[in-house]
Amino acid sequence: MPCATFRPNRAEDEYPLMKIGLFIPCYIDAFYPDAGIATLELLEKLGQDVEYPLDQTCCGQPMGNSGCNSDAAAAEALFVRNFAKYDKIVMPSGSCTHHVRDNFDAIPQTDEVRHVRENTYELVEFLHDILKVDAFPWAEFNHTVGLHNSCGTLRALRTASMSELGEKPFSKPMDLLSKVKGIRFATPKRPDECCGFGGTFSVTEEAVSAKMGVDKVRDHHQAGAEYIVSADSSCIMHQQGCAERAGVPIRFIHIAQILNGASQ
Amino acid sequence: MSDKPVNHARAAEHFIEDTPHLQFHDERLWDMRQKRDAQMHILPEWQELREEASRIKEHTLSRLPEYLEQFETNARKNGIHVHWARDGAEHNRIVGEILKAHNARNLIKSKSMVTEECDMRPYLAKQGVTVTETDLGERIQQLDDQLPSHIVVPAVHKLTADVAKIFAKDYHTDPNIRDPHLLAEAQRQAARPVILHADAGMTGGNFVVAETGTFVVCTNEGNADLSATVPNLHIATIGIERLVPRMADMGVFIRLLSRSALGSPITQYTTHFRGPQKGGEMHVVLVDNGRSARLGMEDFWTSLKCIRCGACMNTCPVYRRSGGLSYGAVYSGPIGAIIDPTFNERKYSTLPYASTLNGSCTNVCPVKINIHEQLYKWRRVLVQHHEMPFVKREIMHMAGKLMGQPRMYRAAIKATEVSLSTMPRFVLYNWLNPWGKHRENPHPVKQTFNDWYRKNRKTAATPAAAPETKK
Ligand code: SF4
């Protein structure tokens, strides 16, 4: 569907206008394109001028996280070439945002690189903190969902309060989801527990990783969730794989899809 | 010591196969984490306490030699003999000599991770000294000839039935006992005569106070107090990082320690040792064993702030599901993963990878050690020091190259999709792919986001600002 039909004029008047570069992480590109499409359409509905540079690949995180930092240089350099010209860079992934913001140092830290690092946002924080979206009139989701905060969004980007610190409860993804009609929330027993994806950890420590994943999806399922919703498709990919193998009947959806008006 | 890298992943896999043990382990430690949370919520000043504790430790570590000397001077004034041990061997020799001088053949000891580091028991055994652990969990581990699997609850990976079996062998109790109280009583009955007839007692030390020349031992079973006071000879083995400058600092640490460890407001026994008892002798052995070297490591020196509360282990989702023994080291869990490589980089090169970098450990640490960031940094160091398996290193190298070349990357994505939709299941789920051992693969899709975008938003698409790099 052409994007113009998605743009209500009120959004254009209401939200600040910026030139946005959209980064779609590799696993969303390859396995969860709908999450990417929803992100783009949502930003367009909110009146934003969004471009997706076609020659993008990866932010460098897999190499950086494995300690092979010098191998992240090519990906990081390409990332900067792709995105330096935008006011803001938005991506539907907490862990990639965390990499760009906190660990992106395989290449010399030029002004361009610094600009990119300082202006990269994960989708939820962008909607919540920059656009300060107060309504998603098109969104309705008549299901019970369990929110999975990835460790990247929770403990690095700090989009929600962390149980270990005893801080005043807050949750940016919950704030946004609460504006969706019909949605109900399930509360798992261990909401902050890591699901065990961890990048290459999922393969090098596959037994622990998969066990953590199964425990995670069971916790949500037992709390009554029909869907696990998350801002990170990498966690979803892992959890979905675990749920399907273990026969836990639960579905998965990216937060962008719900906010963009998906009904299931 | 063999340098062969510890295979944490395989040991963990083994641990996971045993559901009853795994489940108990995970739930018991998670319960400790929750009790810790409850204690934290009671104290509105929790974060200030952590900050203060971290500050005190960093300050002390930055002036460690001065404070150590201050402690030595004051301890001597208190009538305590102070010894310095550069490494484990020196520590064992010193302890052996003290025991020999007193003709002591039976040593009772309370829990001390430093003596595990120094591998002291086998050394003393060769000298004809019988060492008996008096901490229940530590004794169980001693009888079972295993390292402690947790620094606070050393036998937490065992079920009651396991303990009953071990006690039956050594204490000739009924192997079918399932009441933990009965087992504790069996240990008490077995330990009491040993304690009463011991020639010497050994403890660790949780804190060493420079200004008073005293040290503090925290336990829940009171076994350290028995070990220290029943025999006339008391030897305390303590790492040099355990120092705090002032007695007033203890107010901060005592409030944090047990709350973080077990979720109880304070340990049952908090004993300040100020000098030998009447007619007795007290020795403190201050152990370096790599600590000075660690203090000089820019990215890792703050790991010396550790007060060994075990909170990082209790909260760690990987530790809870792999068990302490899978780390193959004296120190396990997150703290183990960042300090073990300082003892043997090759052997423990796998441990910093036994983490998802989720960061929960850092958040619970009462002295605010940035554990998960140190795990990340260790990975860099290990790769620089060529301590990553060649194949994995090569994969990352190739992936890194590929990610810099968008056209080749696109071609590779196509190939992945094709393989996902065409490869037979047994190929996808077997040797090629550890991912699929306990997980389904992601589903193949009709088109990538990139394809979709080219079709649906083509006009807005722009190529990268510069041509792609040549390889
Ligand atoms: S690193 Fe921190 S949380 Fe872990 S044992 Fe040491 S003091 Fe406790």
Side-chain angles (χ1 to χ4, degrees), chain A residues 1-3 6 22 24-33 35-38 40-41 44 50-58 61-72 74-75 78 81-82 85-86 98-99 103-106 151-152 155 162-167 189-194 196-212 214-216 234 237-242 244-246, chain B residues 8-9 12-13 16 22 26-27 30 33-34 36-37 40-41 46-47 50 315-318 320-322 350 353-361 363-364 372 376 379-381 383-384 388 392-393 396-407 409-410 413 416-417 420 425 429 433-445 447-454 456-458 460-469:
Chain A
M1 221 180 300
C3 57
F6 282 120
L22 176 66
I24 297 298
C26 48
Y27 46 87
I28 294 189
D29 176 58
F31 300 125
Y32 295 95
I37 295 168
L40 175 64
E41 289 180 350
E44 288 172 347
V50 188
E51 254 177 41
Y52 167 81
L54 283 169
D55 276 352
Q56 57 182 279
T57 57
C58 160
Q61 183 188 208
M63 285 71 76
N65 270 8
S66 353
C68 305
N69 205 45
S70 58
D71 291 326
L78 176 66
R81 281 208 304 282
N82 274 322
K85 62 172 178 246
Y86 298 103
H98 169 47
H99 179 76
N103 292 322
F104 196 86
D105 61 358
C151 300
R155 298 196 186 84
M162 305 183 281
S163 59
E164 301 96 353
L165 294 186
E167 52 195 351
K189 282 209 190 98
R190 302 183 188 182
D192 283 3
E193 177 116 317
C194 171
F197 172 63
T200 51
F201 177 89
S202 62
V203 177
T204 55
E205 289 267 356
E206 80 68 35
V208 181
S209 171
K211 179 64 183 143
M212 286 166 70
V214 170
D215 288 352
K216 184 87 223 173
S234 52
M237 176 169 74
H238 159 71
Q239 291 180 29
Q240 185 168 26
C242 294
E244 286 176 4
R245 179 63 63 86
Chain B
H8 176 271
E13 187 175 0
I16 286 171
L22 167 67
D26 173 52
E27 277 166 14
W30 179 251
R33 154 77 207 275
Q34 284 189 302
R36 169 226 172 254
D37 287 3
M40 164 184 71
H41 288 300
W46 186 258
Q47 298 308 333
R50 286 177 74 220
T315 201
C316 178
V318 176
R320 270 187 271 111
R321 290 174 183 81
S322 54
T350 45
Y353 292 93
S355 164
T356 61
L357 303 177
N358 64 75
S360 186
C361 47
N363 278 350
V364 296
H372 73 299
Y376 185 88
R379 295 178 181 188
R380 282 193 184 184
V381 169
V383 169
Q384 277 159 13
M388 179 183 254
K392 192 172 170 194
R393 182 77 195 78
M396 280 301 149
H397 195 61
M398 312 230 310
K401 263 192 183 164
L402 185 65
M403 298 304 192
Q405 304 177 72
R407 244 160 286 148
Y409 172 78
R410 279 289 136 212
I413 292 273
T416 310
E417 275 167 35
L420 269 181
R425 205 184 141 89
Y429 291 120
N433 189 1
W435 172 277
K437 221 167 154 184
H438 296 99
R439 260 174 308 221
E440 295 296 317
N441 272 326
H443 305 229
V445 293
Q447 56 184 351
T448 63
F449 177 83
N450 196 286
D451 290 339
W452 177 89
Y453 192 86
R454 281 173 204 270
N456 294 276
R457 298 286 192 280
K458 182 96 164 113
T462 50
E468 71 185 71
T469 41

Side-chain angles (χ1 to χ4, degrees), chain B residues 66-78:
Chain B
E66 289 160 48
Y67 284 122
L68 281 168
E69 279 169 13
Q70 192 188 351
F71 168 76
E72 183 183 29
T73 308
N74 292 329
R76 290 227 156 101
K77 280 189 206 145
N78 294 336

